[in-house]
Amino acid sequence: MNYILFFTAFIGVFILLNMYISKRLVAKLDISQKIKRYLRIFLIINLIGILCYMLARYYVNTPSWLYFLFSVPIGVLFLLFWSAVVYDISRLLLSFAPISQQRRNFLKKSLDVTSMAAAATLTLKSIYNAKFVEVQKVTIEIKNLKKPYKIIQLSDIHIGGLIDKSFIEEIVQKANALNPDIVVVTGDLIDVDVSAAKETLMELAKLNSKFGTYYIVGNHEYFHNVEKIINAVKSLGIRVLENENVYTGEEGEGFNLAGVYDVMGYRTKTYMPDLHKALKNTKDAPTLLLAHQPRFIYEVTGGVDLMLSGHTHGGQLYPFKFLVQLQQPYVSGLHRHNENLQIYVNKGTGFWGPPMRLGASSEITEIVITPSALY
């Protein structure tokens, strides 16, 4: 029933966006009715592509090239919608401008051309951006840390669809080339039934680091049998932190690494995060916490020096960063939450939905934690 409600709401939103683009952008363009008809046909085909995407992602074993064609329409519609909003506002302002009608008509036609060209350019640019995963380097000072450590953070890989074996091979090679002390994967690793991702998932067993690879679940794991995913990851030799902590690093010079289940567990009433349990029996050393969603930081009242999160994708497609900020306190990068606690939010190593990124690149994070110069 939940899937049916989600599917209905999902499609309903896209139908409304389609209607807005048709009525507030296409209908207002100074072009022939024939071209307007073609544009509306394109919008209908684009909507059909979105329907096919939903089926391909969850129910059909679709070839990657066809999956690509089905997934792009979501991003296209989003970018067209924002172009339509900007066009609508610009057209309204133009109507009040104290200029001659001839000048107003010229600017209106210029606005028409610019709006359509911008939508097409941004679509192509965002598809191009998604092909690349950048290494984001950051140094974070930690109070009472005895020596530096290099941590590689992967997050929101979303195995399934276009995130296939070759994609994982590439990020594993990049991560290993950075010669990390530990690797952490902060949730949303798998976005399909784990039985369909076994071969791809096995590539993560090739991650090399001095002190091992650690993983926590994200919210998407709850959609695809979180227990099966946890067991599958464990079978790779990767340590899953389930409301628990481990001491990692050199003996006497290391740090506590804790991890919690995702806050989605509060909704499902299973695999719920428990920070008190996760921090139980930590050693006298700095503590790093892995928590998928940045908003979990509101539950951290003490005992943690640095929290590593993901979930937001950095907004993935600008300007959705501003919508993400309505739900999450931090969207990307390093932030000092209070005097004792910092947080770093990874923008996502993969992507969800359309293979598109605009204003938020995919990233592998190279985090060097180092002793604070103030202590």
Side-chain angles (χ1 to χ4, degrees):
M1 180 60 71
N2 287 336
Y3 282 108
I4 294 175
L5 290 174
F6 172 76
F7 183 84
T8 303
F10 190 84
I11 296 303
V13 167
F14 284 116
I15 290 174
L16 291 175
L17 294 182
N18 241 33
M19 292 173 62
Y20 182 86
I21 295 166
S22 179
K23 291 182 177 295
R24 306 303 299 176
L25 176 60
V26 175
K28 304 300 181 181
L29 294 172
D30 288 330
I31 54 178
S32 68
Q33 290 300 318
K34 184 177 181 180
I35 296 177
K36 288 183 180 181
R37 185 164 59 251
Y38 287 151
L39 289 175
R40 290 191 175 101
I41 290 172
F42 169 78
L43 289 175
I44 292 171
I45 293 173
N46 198 72
L47 184 60
I48 292 172
I50 294 172
L51 290 169
C52 291
Y53 166 79
M54 296 295 291
L55 296 174
R57 186 167 191 88
Y58 297 106
Y59 302 108
V60 182
N61 187 16
T62 309
S64 58
W65 65 269
L66 188 57
Y67 187 91
F68 174 83
L69 293 178
F70 288 160
S71 58
V72 167
I74 296 178
V76 170
L77 194 62
F78 277 141
L79 292 175
L80 277 174
F81 170 70
W82 287 114
S83 296
V85 170
V86 173
Y87 176 84
D88 222 1
I89 295 172
S90 300
R91 192 171 56 83
L92 179 63
L93 294 175
L94 184 60
S95 69
F96 288 105
I99 56 177
S100 67
Q101 188 60 44
Q102 184 179 8
R103 183 66 173 170
R104 184 177 286 109
N105 291 340
F106 171 78
L107 292 176
K108 169 62 169 57
K109 290 180 180 179
S110 298
L111 177 62
D112 291 355
V113 174
T114 302
S115 297
M116 297 306 293
T121 301
L122 291 176
T123 297
L124 294 174
K125 175 63 174 173
S126 61
I127 292 173
Y128 177 80
N129 290 346
K131 293 175 182 276
F132 305 98
V133 181
E134 298 180 354
V135 176
Q136 186 73 42
K137 298 186 178 184
V138 59
T139 299
I140 304 175
E141 293 187 353
I142 302 294
K143 180 181 176 181
N144 297 326
L145 187 67
K146 297 295 193 298
K147 59 176 293 186
Y149 290 93
K150 182 186 290 187
I151 302 170
I152 298 303
Q153 182 188 7
L154 309 176
S155 191
D156 301 87
I157 298 174
H158 291 283
I159 290 174
L162 297 173
I163 306 297
D164 55 12
K165 183 179 178 181
S166 62
F167 184 95
I168 303 302
E169 285 176 344
E170 181 180 348
I171 65 172
V172 168
Q173 289 173 4
K174 286 185 176 182
N176 288 343
L178 297 172
N179 193 28
D181 290 311
I182 71 168
V183 177
V184 298
V185 183
T186 49
D188 281 6
L189 173 60
I190 301 176
D191 214 7
V192 292
D193 188 278
V194 71
S195 61
K198 284 184 178 179
E199 186 177 353
T200 301
L201 191 63
M202 286 179 64
E203 291 299 314
L204 291 175
K206 299 176 183 178
L207 285 167
N208 294 322
S209 61
K210 191 172 182 180
F211 299 109
T213 302
Y214 299 86
Y215 163 74
I216 58 166
V217 299
N219 58 303
H220 278 247
E221 278 84 344
Y222 291 79
F223 303 143
H224 305 285
N225 196 319
V226 63
E227 183 177 1
K228 281 187 177 180
I229 292 174
I230 288 173
N231 291 334
V233 173
K234 286 180 178 179
S235 71
L236 303 176
I238 295 174
R239 176 67 184 269
V240 182
L241 294 175
E242 304 181 71
N243 291 334
E244 58 187 329
N245 70 83
V246 296
Y247 184 82
T248 188
E250 303 291 349
E251 187 61 37
E253 297 181 319
F255 56 92
N256 303 300
L257 183 66
V260 292
Y261 294 126
D262 185 60
V263 295
M264 175 63 77
Y266 293 143
R267 291 174 56 185
T268 64
K269 306 301 181 184
T270 58
Y271 294 91
M272 293 183 286
D274 186 334
L275 183 60
H276 176 75
K277 182 179 179 182
L279 298 180
K280 191 175 182 179
N281 298 324
T282 54
K283 293 188 177 183
D284 184 19
T287 298
L288 275 63
L289 173 67
L290 307 182
H292 178 64
Q293 298 193 41
R295 62 182 170 138
F296 188 78
I297 202 166
Y298 293 131
E299 299 192 30
V300 182
T301 57
V304 176
D305 298 275
L306 173 65
M307 181 168 134
L308 301 181
S309 299
H311 182 67
T312 66
H313 294 213
Q316 187 163 323
L317 278 174
Y318 191 88
F320 283 97
K321 175 179 180 178
F322 301 108
L323 297 181
V324 175
Q325 288 176 329
L326 298 177
Q327 188 195 37
Q328 302 292 337
Y330 306 106
V331 178
S332 64
L334 179 63
H335 304 269
R336 177 167 289 281
H337 184 67
N338 57 40
E339 183 180 353
N340 300 312
L341 176 60
Q342 299 179 77
I343 179 173
Y344 185 85
V345 183
N346 179 295
K347 296 193 299 293
T349 309
F351 49 79
W352 186 87
M356 303 166 74
R357 278 190 172 266
L358 189 64
S361 60
S362 298
E363 73 170 77
I364 294 171
T365 316
E366 180 187 89
I367 301 170
V368 176
I369 55 172
T370 186
S372 174
L374 299 178
Y375 298 92

